[in-house]
Amino acid sequence: MSAESQRVIKSAGMRILSDLIGLPFGAGLIGWLIDRWAGTTPWVMLAMLFLGFGLAVRSVLRVANNRPDQGPDTGK
């Protein structure tokens, strides 16, 4: 395995890890703030957590289906 392919694999792994941690955390934090403002604790936070997990899974699937020879995802 070449150094370039190892770099691409490590980069994809770091992106997956950051998405799996960051998206649910960020969405949960936004939901918690909305709950505090609207007084609907904990319903918006729970909905945002589910949304964050769903977005994280979608992002992981996009990274997993992206072939290294295709280049970066262009959104098409």
Side-chain angles (χ1 to χ4, degrees), residues 14-66:
M14 293 298 285
R15 178 172 175 195
I16 288 171
L17 180 64
S18 65
D19 284 346
L20 285 174
I21 293 171
L23 286 172
F25 179 76
L29 180 63
I30 291 169
W32 179 76
L33 291 171
I34 292 172
D35 271 338
R36 299 265 306 186
W37 176 72
T40 57
T41 305
W43 302 110
V44 176
M45 184 184 71
L46 290 173
M48 292 295 285
L49 277 172
F50 281 114
L51 179 66
F53 280 117
L55 289 173
V57 169
R58 179 177 176 252
S59 179
V60 167
L61 290 174
R62 290 180 85 186
V63 169
N65 289 330
N66 190 17

